[in-house]
Amino acid sequence: MLSLSEPLRDSIVTSKGEFQLNLMFNNVLDYYEMIERDDLTDLDKIEAGWLLFIGGGVLSFNTEADWTIAIRAMAEISDYITHDPYQDETDTEEQEQLNVKPTQWYSYSKDADAIYASFLFDYQIDLIDQQKLLRWEKFRALFNNLSPKSPLMRIVAIRQANLTDYEGQAMADMAEAQAYYALDKSVDQVNDAIGSMFDMLKQQAINH
């Protein structure tokens, strides 16, 4: 989470020592895309995530101890990058009990063009030029505050539109637009998948 009084986090402490983290926004987006892949097992994703954020040459991934370190580290990193500053743990627990959760109407992968255009539109920031330069926390702060007129937020408005508010051709046009911009997976679904993956791996470790 972005703080105006504290430096951005740049390392993680494990039983193998303290390691620098690569938390550039494009690296985190690569992680999100990797999590969505169906051709990788959960352990494949843990190893790939470790290599993305920390790098190679530290763990061999040939021992149970190495996997335990990687799972704990990746769970901590995932909690950090998915943390919502407007939703504390109490809110999360209450929402889980009521089976109610805020809906996120976008996808980092499917909406990549709109996100790129939105940063240019609102901030005159070229995200391609900012790869390996812009930290995830800064990217997310800007992303979360895109204006209603930005390309992405116009698409989000279409997804959120209630068809019963329209009639005739306007309803048909909106239905067509919603079908065109429909998501396979939203960011909240990917975040849920990340959480479920670590919950399962932690439980397996306990029962092992």
Side-chain angles (χ1 to χ4, degrees):
M1 181 175 67
L2 186 69
S3 170
L4 298 180
S5 60
E6 299 291 336
L8 296 177
R9 180 174 184 177
D10 60 4
S11 66
I12 187 169
V13 177
T14 75
S15 59
K16 284 267 189 176
E18 184 174 1
F19 302 104
Q20 293 296 116
L21 291 174
N22 181 345
L23 289 175
M24 297 304 169
F25 85 95
N26 53 294
N27 210 45
V28 176
L29 295 183
D30 282 343
Y31 178 66
Y32 268 93
E33 289 190 19
M34 183 267 296
I35 290 294
E36 293 186 64
R37 291 179 54 178
D38 296 326
D39 61 324
L40 298 176
T41 67
D42 288 344
L43 291 181
D44 288 336
K45 293 175 182 179
I46 295 297
E47 182 175 359
W50 176 278
L51 294 175
L52 269 174
F53 292 116
I54 298 175
V58 178
L59 301 181
S60 65
F61 293 96
N62 291 325
T63 66
E64 184 176 341
D66 278 359
W67 282 110
T68 299
I69 292 169
I71 290 169
R72 288 175 178 171
M74 286 309 306
E76 185 176 337
I77 294 169
S78 295
D79 284 345
Y80 181 75
I81 64 177
T82 62
H83 177 71
D84 185 344
Y86 293 106
Q87 182 179 358
D88 62 27
E89 294 181 3
T90 303
D91 293 337
T92 302
E93 291 173 1
E94 291 176 352
Q95 287 163 357
E96 288 177 351
Q97 291 172 358
L98 296 172
N99 198 26
V100 174
K101 192 173 183 180
T103 301
Q104 294 177 318
W105 297 87
Y106 57 86
S107 163
Y108 290 130
S109 55
K110 194 163 187 176
D111 290 325
D113 283 1
I115 294 170
Y116 174 84
S118 295
F119 271 65
L120 275 177
F121 182 85
D122 273 354
Y123 309 121
Q124 294 75 54
I125 292 176
D126 187 319
L127 287 177
I128 302 302
D129 292 343
Q130 288 298 312
Q131 289 179 0
K132 301 181 180 180
L133 297 174
L134 181 65
R135 281 287 300 253
W136 168 250
E137 300 92 334
K138 296 179 181 180
F139 166 86
R140 196 173 179 202
L142 294 170
F143 179 92
N144 287 341
N145 290 282
L146 288 171
S147 71
K149 292 184 178 181
S150 66
L152 177 66
M153 297 313 294
R154 293 204 305 268
I155 291 173
V156 168
I158 289 172
R159 290 173 179 153
Q160 293 176 329
N162 187 341
L163 290 180
T164 60
D165 293 336
Y166 299 82
E167 295 181 357
Q169 187 59 46
M171 177 184 289
D173 290 345
M174 181 57 72
E176 183 178 353
Q178 287 186 336
Y180 181 79
Y181 289 116
L183 293 176
D184 300 319
K185 288 183 181 178
S186 63
V187 168
D188 57 338
Q189 290 173 311
V190 179
N191 285 342
D192 285 344
I194 293 173
S196 296
M197 177 178 69
F198 286 112
D199 287 343
M200 182 186 67
L201 290 171
K202 289 174 183 177
Q203 192 60 45
Q204 287 177 350
I206 291 172
N207 295 332
H208 186 70

